Amino acid sequence: MFPIHRPRRLRSHPQLRRMVRENIVTTNDLIYPLFAVPGEGIAQEVKSMPGVYQLSIDKIVEEAKEVYDLGIPSIILFGIPDDKDGEATGAWHDCGIVQKATTAVKEAVPDLIVMVDTCLCEYTNHGHCGYLEVGDLTGRVLNDPTLELLGKTAVSQAKAGADIIAPSGMMDGFVQAIRAALDKAGYQDLPIMSYAAKYASAYYGPFRDAAESAPQFGDRRTYQMDPANGREALKEIELDIAEGADMLMVKPALAYMDIIWRVKEATHLPVAAYNVSGEYSMVKAGALNGWIDEEKVVMETLTAFKRSGADLILTYHAKDAARWLAN
């Protein structure tokens, strides 16, 4: 008891604090999201996400080179096509925007890991993540027919050179359908990072500006998880593991660190946390107004994700964090 035990002894010097630090963020933990658009020479800033841009493929390649030079091992690609339709053609077509961006990045920076978002909402004319019943204005996606589209999309992304397939639509059975499609096409060694616990969150607002993927009607609560539920996340990850997932993701991260912890405790697979757009934009807004110290808040937050059990962090702060870590 006090005064024999004084925890402050181990906090008395910066080097000593470093020596006993339990969780450390490194560039190896980071994955940087990028948004690809058609055209050339395009770098259009997303108004609700300062410092984040919609980029043409030539600019995506420039960003990929910078990311690699900063020591960040991976990017994840999202696409905004010229045209959208009910079949989500831009998602699975061999000349889709993500497919072309993937090939260009792998040719320019072959050692950078290219993860691809395997979803349909950016490519459908209604903004939902799959097929809808004709005339349905509720947003209730037809699960099983959508699985075939997801399989086609994953195979086309694999052909383009993707290193990791990351399905995010929260369809029942989507990991199994994608695994079967990839294996049949000869991509048995291509890993799947499943958005295993993806919540119907209000934190996604700025992303929908960046990806131009807001639903035209209804919402996504019939397929994304209720924010009130925790045990359900464990059920979802158990199913995805059984279907062949190689890595698991929890999205969002900041308000769901309890879920990250529970998922990590329940599996030996790598667990990723998605530090989503709303979380990013809140920090940016606070920093731009001088209310918070951006570097300190970001690094504290990323460290908290690690402390909660995340092995990997998808974050729009990745480049800044890499620079801060280098210094």
Side-chain angles (χ1 to χ4, degrees):
M1 302 298 291
F2 181 82
I4 296 173
H5 296 288
R6 293 178 180 266
R8 288 182 58 187
R9 291 172 183 146
L10 299 182
R11 305 172 194 154
S12 61
H13 191 281
Q15 301 293 19
L16 184 54
R17 292 195 294 272
R18 282 182 57 204
M19 291 170 61
V20 298
R21 189 163 291 149
E22 297 175 27
N23 295 282
I24 300 172
V25 176
T26 75
T27 54
N28 294 333
D29 305 319
L30 305 176
I31 299 166
Y32 188 53
L34 289 170
F35 298 93
V37 296
E40 188 173 350
I42 297 172
Q44 177 68 42
E45 188 171 28
V46 180
K47 291 183 179 179
S48 57
M49 298 180 70
V52 173
Y53 295 82
Q54 294 178 334
L55 301 167
S56 53
I57 291 174
D58 56 318
K59 295 293 185 180
I60 289 277
V61 169
E62 291 177 11
E63 281 286 289
K65 291 177 179 177
E66 181 181 4
V67 166
Y68 184 74
D69 289 342
L70 286 168
I72 299 168
S74 179
I75 60 172
I76 181 167
L77 289 174
F78 299 89
I80 301 98
D82 268 334
D83 299 305
K84 304 187 179 193
D85 56 44
E87 300 286 326
T89 304
W92 49 263
H93 196 283
D94 288 342
C95 292
I97 185 65
V98 162
Q99 286 78 357
K100 291 196 290 187
T102 298
T103 300
V105 170
K106 291 304 293 184
E107 288 176 351
V109 198
D111 288 335
L112 183 68
I113 296 296
V114 176
M115 184 184 300
V116 288
D117 179 66
T118 306
C119 194
L120 308 175
C121 59
E122 298 109 301
Y123 307 94
T124 56
N125 52 13
H126 45 68
H128 284 284
C129 299
Y131 281 120
L132 301 182
E133 288 274 14
V134 176
D136 184 351
L137 296 180
T138 67
R140 185 180 295 275
V141 172
L142 298 174
N143 192 94
D144 294 7
T146 297
L147 298 181
E148 183 179 354
L149 280 186
L150 291 171
K152 287 172 61 176
T153 300
V155 170
S156 71
Q157 293 170 336
K159 289 179 180 177
D163 296 297
I164 299 174
I165 300 297
S168 62
M170 289 299 288
M171 296 295 110
D172 293 341
F174 71 159
V175 173
Q176 180 174 302
I178 289 170
R179 183 75 272 161
L182 290 172
D183 290 356
K184 184 178 180 181
Y187 297 102
Q188 295 90 344
D189 294 330
L190 193 62
I192 297 173
M193 174 187 278
S194 171
Y195 287 62
K198 181 178 179 181
Y199 286 84
S201 173
Y203 283 95
Y204 301 151
F207 174 91
R208 291 172 182 170
D209 292 339
E212 299 180 12
S213 62
Q216 299 300 302
F217 47 81
D219 57 40
R220 295 175 179 157
R221 294 181 181 274
T222 63
Y223 44 102
Q224 294 177 358
M225 290 176 56
D226 187 334
N229 293 354
R231 293 192 305 271
E232 185 182 5
L234 301 184
K235 178 180 180 180
E236 287 281 4
I237 70 158
E238 289 171 1
L239 292 170
D240 286 3
I241 292 169
E243 292 173 19
D246 302 285
M247 294 180 278
L248 305 168
M249 189 191 298
V250 176
K251 180 182 182 182
L254 190 61
Y256 296 85
M257 284 192 279
D258 61 316
I259 305 300
I260 298 170
W261 175 261
R262 293 170 74 171
V263 169
K264 186 63 177 178
E265 289 289 290
T267 180
H268 295 296
L269 294 184
V271 176
Y274 200 141
N275 181 205
V276 299
S277 60
E279 299 164 6
Y280 170 88
S281 295
M282 287 191 303
V283 170
K284 280 291 184 181
L288 289 169
N289 280 283
W291 298 334
I292 59 172
D293 183 312
E294 181 177 359
E295 177 179 346
K296 289 181 179 178
V297 168
V298 169
M299 295 311 299
E300 182 177 340
T301 302
L302 299 182
T303 302
F305 297 150
K306 291 284 289 185
R307 190 183 67 243
S308 69
D311 300 292
L312 301 167
I313 304 168
L314 291 80
T315 177
Y316 304 97
H317 296 291
K319 290 198 304 179
D320 287 335
R323 295 187 185 102
W324 295 328
L325 289 166
N327 292 329

